[in-house]
mmCIF file of all heavy atoms in Angstrom:
data_model
loop_
_atom_site.group_PDB
_atom_site.id
_atom_site.type_symbol
_atom_site.label_atom_id
_atom_site.label_comp_id
_atom_site.label_asym_id
_atom_site.label_seq_id
_atom_site.Cartn_x
_atom_site.Cartn_y
_atom_site.Cartn_z
ATOM 1 N N LYS A 15 -36.402 58.089 -49.258
ATOM 2 C CA LYS A 15 -35.743 57.189 -48.324
ATOM 3 C C LYS A 15 -34.480 56.648 -49.032
ATOM 4 O O LYS A 15 -34.427 56.409 -50.169
ATOM 5 C CB LYS A 15 -36.686 55.993 -48.055
ATOM 6 C CG LYS A 15 -37.771 56.311 -47.025
ATOM 7 C CD LYS A 15 -38.499 55.075 -46.695
ATOM 8 C CE LYS A 15 -39.445 55.251 -45.606
ATOM 9 N NZ LYS A 15 -40.127 53.923 -45.204
ATOM 10 N N GLY A 16 -33.511 56.385 -48.164
ATOM 11 C CA GLY A 16 -32.131 55.818 -48.597
ATOM 12 C C GLY A 16 -32.277 54.366 -48.525
ATOM 13 O O GLY A 16 -33.318 53.746 -48.304
ATOM 14 N N VAL A 17 -31.094 53.755 -48.601
ATOM 15 C CA VAL A 17 -30.858 52.299 -48.463
ATOM 16 C C VAL A 17 -31.179 51.975 -47.007
ATOM 17 O O VAL A 17 -30.593 52.487 -46.128
ATOM 18 C CB VAL A 17 -29.448 51.882 -48.896
ATOM 19 C CG1 VAL A 17 -29.392 50.365 -48.688
ATOM 20 C CG2 VAL A 17 -29.208 52.166 -50.423
ATOM 21 N N THR A 18 -32.092 51.004 -46.785
ATOM 22 C CA THR A 18 -32.405 50.526 -45.534
ATOM 23 C C THR A 18 -32.593 49.033 -45.469
ATOM 24 O O THR A 18 -33.067 48.527 -46.472
ATOM 25 C CB THR A 18 -33.656 51.348 -44.926
ATOM 26 O OG1 THR A 18 -33.921 50.688 -43.629
ATOM 27 C CG2 THR A 18 -34.828 51.098 -45.796
ATOM 28 N N LEU A 19 -32.344 48.385 -44.283
ATOM 29 C CA LEU A 19 -32.599 47.023 -44.204
ATOM 30 C C LEU A 19 -33.961 46.753 -43.623
ATOM 31 O O LEU A 19 -34.374 45.569 -43.560
ATOM 32 C CB LEU A 19 -31.529 46.328 -43.229
ATOM 33 C CG LEU A 19 -30.079 46.634 -43.600
ATOM 34 C CD1 LEU A 19 -29.212 45.949 -42.562
ATOM 35 C CD2 LEU A 19 -29.733 46.205 -45.000
ATOM 36 N N GLU A 20 -34.675 47.761 -43.278
ATOM 37 C CA GLU A 20 -35.947 47.681 -42.558
ATOM 38 C C GLU A 20 -37.224 47.955 -43.434
ATOM 39 O O GLU A 20 -38.193 48.367 -42.978
ATOM 40 C CB GLU A 20 -35.961 48.625 -41.339
ATOM 41 C CG GLU A 20 -34.797 48.350 -40.413
ATOM 42 C CD GLU A 20 -34.762 49.398 -39.298
ATOM 43 O OE1 GLU A 20 -35.472 50.428 -39.347
ATOM 44 O OE2 GLU A 20 -33.843 49.243 -38.405
ATOM 45 N N ASP A 21 -36.997 47.702 -44.638
ATOM 46 C CA ASP A 21 -38.096 48.055 -45.638
ATOM 47 C C ASP A 21 -38.200 46.836 -46.521
ATOM 48 O O ASP A 21 -37.414 45.985 -46.676
ATOM 49 C CB ASP A 21 -37.846 49.321 -46.404
ATOM 50 C CG ASP A 21 -39.106 50.086 -46.723
ATOM 51 O OD1 ASP A 21 -40.178 49.408 -46.763
ATOM 52 O OD2 ASP A 21 -38.998 51.316 -46.962
ATOM 53 N N GLY A 22 -39.354 46.812 -47.200
ATOM 54 C CA GLY A 22 -39.597 45.700 -48.217
ATOM 55 C C GLY A 22 -38.551 45.669 -49.251
ATOM 56 O O GLY A 22 -38.070 46.768 -49.648
ATOM 57 N N HIS A 23 -38.131 44.517 -49.615
ATOM 58 C CA HIS A 23 -37.096 44.238 -50.694
ATOM 59 C C HIS A 23 -37.191 42.838 -51.230
ATOM 60 O O HIS A 23 -37.863 41.993 -50.601
ATOM 61 C CB HIS A 23 -35.749 44.554 -50.060
ATOM 62 C CG HIS A 23 -35.285 43.620 -49.037
ATOM 63 N ND1 HIS A 23 -35.576 43.830 -47.681
ATOM 64 C CD2 HIS A 23 -34.455 42.433 -49.099
ATOM 65 C CE1 HIS A 23 -35.079 42.771 -47.008
ATOM 66 N NE2 HIS A 23 -34.388 42.024 -47.867
ATOM 67 N N PHE A 24 -36.421 42.611 -52.238
ATOM 68 C CA PHE A 24 -36.244 41.207 -52.700
ATOM 69 C C PHE A 24 -34.866 40.962 -52.803
ATOM 70 O O PHE A 24 -34.052 41.946 -52.933
ATOM 71 C CB PHE A 24 -37.069 40.897 -53.956
ATOM 72 C CG PHE A 24 -36.575 41.560 -55.191
ATOM 73 C CD1 PHE A 24 -35.642 41.023 -56.037
ATOM 74 C CD2 PHE A 24 -37.013 42.878 -55.519
ATOM 75 C CE1 PHE A 24 -35.193 41.606 -57.180
ATOM 76 C CE2 PHE A 24 -36.539 43.529 -56.694
ATOM 77 C CZ PHE A 24 -35.618 42.852 -57.514
ATOM 78 N N ALA A 25 -34.382 39.739 -52.798
ATOM 79 C CA ALA A 25 -32.995 39.397 -52.740
ATOM 80 C C ALA A 25 -32.542 38.522 -53.986
ATOM 81 O O ALA A 25 -33.344 37.611 -54.341
ATOM 82 C CB ALA A 25 -32.617 38.762 -51.487
ATOM 83 N N LEU A 26 -31.403 38.826 -54.544
ATOM 84 C CA LEU A 26 -30.821 38.089 -55.604
ATOM 85 C C LEU A 26 -29.603 37.484 -55.070
ATOM 86 O O LEU A 26 -28.757 38.209 -54.441
ATOM 87 C CB LEU A 26 -30.579 38.952 -56.902
ATOM 88 C CG LEU A 26 -31.814 39.825 -57.412
ATOM 89 C CD1 LEU A 26 -31.302 40.800 -58.401
ATOM 90 C CD2 LEU A 26 -32.745 38.782 -58.078
ATOM 91 N N ARG A 27 -29.384 36.232 -55.390
ATOM 92 C CA ARG A 27 -28.114 35.590 -54.935
ATOM 93 C C ARG A 27 -27.143 35.493 -56.060
ATOM 94 O O ARG A 27 -27.485 35.174 -57.175
ATOM 95 C CB ARG A 27 -28.415 34.165 -54.354
ATOM 96 C CG ARG A 27 -27.173 33.449 -54.008
ATOM 97 C CD ARG A 27 -27.125 32.641 -52.847
ATOM 98 N NE ARG A 27 -27.369 33.331 -51.569
ATOM 99 C CZ ARG A 27 -27.362 32.695 -50.354
ATOM 100 N NH1 ARG A 27 -27.240 31.393 -50.348
ATOM 101 N NH2 ARG A 27 -27.482 33.359 -49.222
ATOM 102 N N VAL A 28 -25.849 35.805 -55.737
ATOM 103 C CA VAL A 28 -24.785 35.658 -56.732
ATOM 104 C C VAL A 28 -23.778 34.615 -56.195
ATOM 105 O O VAL A 28 -23.759 34.298 -55.012
ATOM 106 C CB VAL A 28 -24.049 37.042 -56.886
ATOM 107 C CG1 VAL A 28 -24.991 38.026 -57.616
ATOM 108 C CG2 VAL A 28 -23.409 37.558 -55.584
ATOM 109 N N GLU A 29 -22.955 34.034 -57.101
ATOM 110 C CA GLU A 29 -22.085 33.134 -56.733
ATOM 111 C C GLU A 29 -20.765 33.779 -56.107
ATOM 112 O O GLU A 29 -20.215 33.194 -55.099
ATOM 113 C CB GLU A 29 -21.582 32.279 -57.919
ATOM 114 C CG GLU A 29 -20.740 31.051 -57.559
ATOM 115 C CD GLU A 29 -20.489 30.183 -58.786
ATOM 116 O OE1 GLU A 29 -21.149 30.307 -59.728
ATOM 117 O OE2 GLU A 29 -19.520 29.429 -58.793
ATOM 118 N N ILE A 30 -20.281 34.860 -56.722
ATOM 119 C CA ILE A 30 -19.047 35.453 -56.260
ATOM 120 C C ILE A 30 -19.440 36.930 -55.808
ATOM 121 O O ILE A 30 -19.602 37.773 -56.603
ATOM 122 C CB ILE A 30 -17.950 35.455 -57.348
ATOM 123 C CG1 ILE A 30 -17.745 34.020 -57.789
ATOM 124 C CG2 ILE A 30 -16.688 36.095 -56.894
ATOM 125 C CD1 ILE A 30 -16.872 33.869 -59.040
ATOM 126 N N PHE A 31 -19.323 37.181 -54.476
ATOM 127 C CA PHE A 31 -19.684 38.425 -53.875
ATOM 128 C C PHE A 31 -18.887 39.518 -54.502
ATOM 129 O O PHE A 31 -19.250 40.625 -54.868
ATOM 130 C CB PHE A 31 -19.594 38.418 -52.334
ATOM 131 C CG PHE A 31 -20.041 39.626 -51.719
ATOM 132 C CD1 PHE A 31 -21.331 39.784 -51.460
ATOM 133 C CD2 PHE A 31 -19.047 40.501 -51.191
ATOM 134 C CE1 PHE A 31 -21.794 40.936 -50.807
ATOM 135 C CE2 PHE A 31 -19.441 41.595 -50.558
ATOM 136 C CZ PHE A 31 -20.800 41.882 -50.352
ATOM 137 N N ASP A 32 -17.494 39.384 -54.308
ATOM 138 C CA ASP A 32 -16.573 40.469 -54.781
ATOM 139 C C ASP A 32 -16.764 40.865 -56.316
ATOM 140 O O ASP A 32 -16.575 42.008 -56.624
ATOM 141 C CB ASP A 32 -15.170 40.206 -54.511
ATOM 142 C CG ASP A 32 -14.844 40.291 -52.974
ATOM 143 O OD1 ASP A 32 -15.478 41.184 -52.341
ATOM 144 O OD2 ASP A 32 -14.025 39.546 -52.449
ATOM 145 N N ALA A 33 -17.021 39.849 -57.097
ATOM 146 C CA ALA A 33 -17.253 40.078 -58.528
ATOM 147 C C ALA A 33 -18.567 40.896 -58.769
ATOM 148 O O ALA A 33 -18.574 41.880 -59.530
ATOM 149 C CB ALA A 33 -17.373 38.784 -59.303
ATOM 150 N N ALA A 34 -19.551 40.672 -57.882
ATOM 151 C CA ALA A 34 -20.781 41.343 -58.023
ATOM 152 C C ALA A 34 -20.617 42.768 -57.534
ATOM 153 O O ALA A 34 -21.072 43.760 -58.264
ATOM 154 C CB ALA A 34 -21.910 40.775 -57.207
ATOM 155 N N LEU A 35 -19.856 42.974 -56.505
ATOM 156 C CA LEU A 35 -19.553 44.386 -56.005
ATOM 157 C C LEU A 35 -18.789 45.081 -57.042
ATOM 158 O O LEU A 35 -19.052 46.304 -57.276
ATOM 159 C CB LEU A 35 -18.795 44.268 -54.596
ATOM 160 C CG LEU A 35 -18.471 45.554 -53.967
ATOM 161 C CD1 LEU A 35 -19.681 46.347 -53.683
ATOM 162 C CD2 LEU A 35 -17.711 45.284 -52.602
ATOM 163 N N ALA A 36 -17.768 44.525 -57.611
ATOM 164 C CA ALA A 36 -16.948 45.184 -58.570
ATOM 165 C C ALA A 36 -17.708 45.582 -59.832
ATOM 166 O O ALA A 36 -17.612 46.638 -60.427
ATOM 167 C CB ALA A 36 -15.763 44.290 -59.030
ATOM 168 N N HIS A 37 -18.748 44.716 -60.197
ATOM 169 C CA HIS A 37 -19.592 45.036 -61.372
ATOM 170 C C HIS A 37 -20.443 46.230 -61.106
ATOM 171 O O HIS A 37 -20.495 47.159 -61.905
ATOM 172 C CB HIS A 37 -20.495 43.794 -61.646
ATOM 173 C CG HIS A 37 -21.626 44.127 -62.588
ATOM 174 N ND1 HIS A 37 -21.408 44.082 -63.926
ATOM 175 C CD2 HIS A 37 -22.813 44.509 -62.433
ATOM 176 C CE1 HIS A 37 -22.476 44.473 -64.600
ATOM 177 N NE2 HIS A 37 -23.449 44.651 -63.662
ATOM 178 N N LEU A 38 -21.055 46.264 -59.858
ATOM 179 C CA LEU A 38 -21.882 47.412 -59.488
ATOM 180 C C LEU A 38 -21.022 48.692 -59.434
ATOM 181 O O LEU A 38 -21.464 49.764 -59.903
ATOM 182 C CB LEU A 38 -22.563 47.148 -58.201
ATOM 183 C CG LEU A 38 -23.734 46.108 -58.179
ATOM 184 C CD1 LEU A 38 -24.085 45.662 -56.772
ATOM 185 C CD2 LEU A 38 -24.779 46.442 -59.101
ATOM 186 N N GLU A 39 -19.825 48.676 -58.854
ATOM 187 C CA GLU A 39 -18.979 49.805 -58.791
ATOM 188 C C GLU A 39 -18.616 50.260 -60.223
ATOM 189 O O GLU A 39 -18.567 51.475 -60.497
ATOM 190 C CB GLU A 39 -17.798 49.542 -57.989
ATOM 191 C CG GLU A 39 -18.054 49.385 -56.463
ATOM 192 C CD GLU A 39 -16.961 48.887 -55.589
ATOM 193 O OE1 GLU A 39 -16.009 48.238 -56.145
ATOM 194 O OE2 GLU A 39 -17.065 49.178 -54.425
ATOM 195 N N ALA A 40 -18.335 49.355 -61.139
ATOM 196 C CA ALA A 40 -18.029 49.714 -62.462
ATOM 197 C C ALA A 40 -19.154 50.411 -63.251
ATOM 198 O O ALA A 40 -18.977 51.222 -64.228
ATOM 199 C CB ALA A 40 -17.567 48.471 -63.336
ATOM 200 N N LYS A 41 -20.364 50.155 -62.767
ATOM 201 C CA LYS A 41 -21.643 50.717 -63.338
ATOM 202 C C LYS A 41 -21.957 51.970 -62.649
ATOM 203 O O LYS A 41 -22.999 52.639 -62.906
ATOM 204 C CB LYS A 41 -22.744 49.774 -63.239
ATOM 205 C CG LYS A 41 -22.707 48.440 -64.042
ATOM 206 C CD LYS A 41 -22.777 48.845 -65.551
ATOM 207 C CE LYS A 41 -22.786 47.531 -66.378
ATOM 208 N NZ LYS A 41 -22.971 47.872 -67.818
ATOM 209 N N GLY A 42 -21.099 52.522 -61.749
ATOM 210 C CA GLY A 42 -21.312 53.767 -61.104
ATOM 211 C C GLY A 42 -21.981 53.780 -59.789
ATOM 212 O O GLY A 42 -22.315 54.735 -59.205
ATOM 213 N N CYS A 43 -22.200 52.485 -59.175
ATOM 214 C CA CYS A 43 -22.801 52.484 -57.906
ATOM 215 C C CYS A 43 -21.729 52.631 -56.829
ATOM 216 O O CYS A 43 -20.620 52.354 -57.012
ATOM 217 C CB CYS A 43 -23.478 51.065 -57.730
ATOM 218 S SG CYS A 43 -24.794 50.776 -58.945
ATOM 219 N N HIS A 44 -22.151 53.226 -55.663
ATOM 220 C CA HIS A 44 -21.216 53.529 -54.686
ATOM 221 C C HIS A 44 -21.890 53.449 -53.311
ATOM 222 O O HIS A 44 -23.066 53.453 -53.179
ATOM 223 C CB HIS A 44 -20.684 54.993 -54.839
ATOM 224 C CG HIS A 44 -21.730 55.949 -54.910
ATOM 225 N ND1 HIS A 44 -22.369 56.507 -53.742
ATOM 226 C CD2 HIS A 44 -22.423 56.534 -55.989
ATOM 227 C CE1 HIS A 44 -23.269 57.427 -54.155
ATOM 228 N NE2 HIS A 44 -23.381 57.420 -55.495
ATOM 229 N N GLU A 45 -21.066 53.270 -52.276
ATOM 230 C CA GLU A 45 -21.531 53.205 -50.891
ATOM 231 C C GLU A 45 -21.850 54.637 -50.390
ATOM 232 O O GLU A 45 -21.219 55.564 -50.779
ATOM 233 C CB GLU A 45 -20.559 52.574 -49.936
ATOM 234 C CG GLU A 45 -20.416 51.054 -50.078
ATOM 235 C CD GLU A 45 -19.696 50.415 -48.879
ATOM 236 O OE1 GLU A 45 -20.289 50.360 -47.800
ATOM 237 O OE2 GLU A 45 -18.594 49.955 -49.131
ATOM 238 N N GLY A 46 -22.922 54.680 -49.487
ATOM 239 C CA GLY A 46 -23.308 55.868 -48.931
ATOM 240 C C GLY A 46 -24.258 56.726 -49.787
ATOM 241 O O GLY A 46 -24.504 56.378 -50.973
ATOM 242 N N GLY A 47 -24.847 57.705 -49.209
ATOM 243 C CA GLY A 47 -25.812 58.530 -49.916
ATOM 244 C C GLY A 47 -27.104 57.835 -50.059
ATOM 245 O O GLY A 47 -27.360 56.801 -49.528
ATOM 246 N N ASP A 48 -27.974 58.533 -50.897
ATOM 247 C CA ASP A 48 -29.293 57.879 -51.108
ATOM 248 C C ASP A 48 -29.764 58.188 -52.561
ATOM 249 O O ASP A 48 -30.915 58.424 -52.865
ATOM 250 C CB ASP A 48 -30.331 58.447 -50.127
ATOM 251 C CG ASP A 48 -30.669 59.885 -50.221
ATOM 252 O OD1 ASP A 48 -29.932 60.569 -50.897
ATOM 253 O OD2 ASP A 48 -31.524 60.283 -49.663
ATOM 254 N N GLU A 49 -28.756 58.232 -53.546
ATOM 255 C CA GLU A 49 -29.056 58.433 -54.892
ATOM 256 C C GLU A 49 -29.691 57.331 -55.540
ATOM 257 O O GLU A 49 -29.076 56.135 -55.643
ATOM 258 C CB GLU A 49 -27.726 58.778 -55.605
ATOM 259 C CG GLU A 49 -27.981 59.085 -57.099
ATOM 260 C CD GLU A 49 -26.542 59.269 -57.828
ATOM 261 O OE1 GLU A 49 -25.571 59.249 -57.188
ATOM 262 O OE2 GLU A 49 -26.664 59.590 -59.037
ATOM 263 N N PRO A 50 -30.979 57.390 -55.999
ATOM 264 C CA PRO A 50 -31.618 56.223 -56.570
ATOM 265 C C PRO A 50 -30.863 55.681 -57.773
ATOM 266 O O PRO A 50 -30.288 56.471 -58.619
ATOM 267 C CB PRO A 50 -32.966 56.850 -57.092
ATOM 268 C CG PRO A 50 -33.191 58.054 -56.195
ATOM 269 C CD PRO A 50 -31.798 58.634 -55.990
ATOM 270 N N GLY A 51 -30.720 54.417 -57.875
ATOM 271 C CA GLY A 51 -30.043 53.746 -59.012
ATOM 272 C C GLY A 51 -28.503 53.692 -58.831
ATOM 273 O O GLY A 51 -27.863 53.126 -59.727
#
């Protein structure tokens, strides 16, 4: 299964959204696909 909004999950809140997104992208995360991690 890929990323879905209709499955069990937990949420973490960050203060600065764009900084969190930039951090994840710098760690190799990307939009699309279903590659775990």
Side-chain angles (χ1 to χ4, degrees):
K15 285 188 172 183
V17 178
T18 177
L19 308 179
E20 301 171 357
D21 213 336
H23 66 277
F24 69 95
L26 303 170
R27 174 138 299 178
V28 296
E29 188 173 342
I30 302 172
F31 184 81
D32 286 327
L35 182 57
H37 170 85
L38 292 171
E39 290 171 339
K41 294 290 185 176
C43 299
H44 55 84
E45 283 194 76
D48 67 349
E49 181 185 359

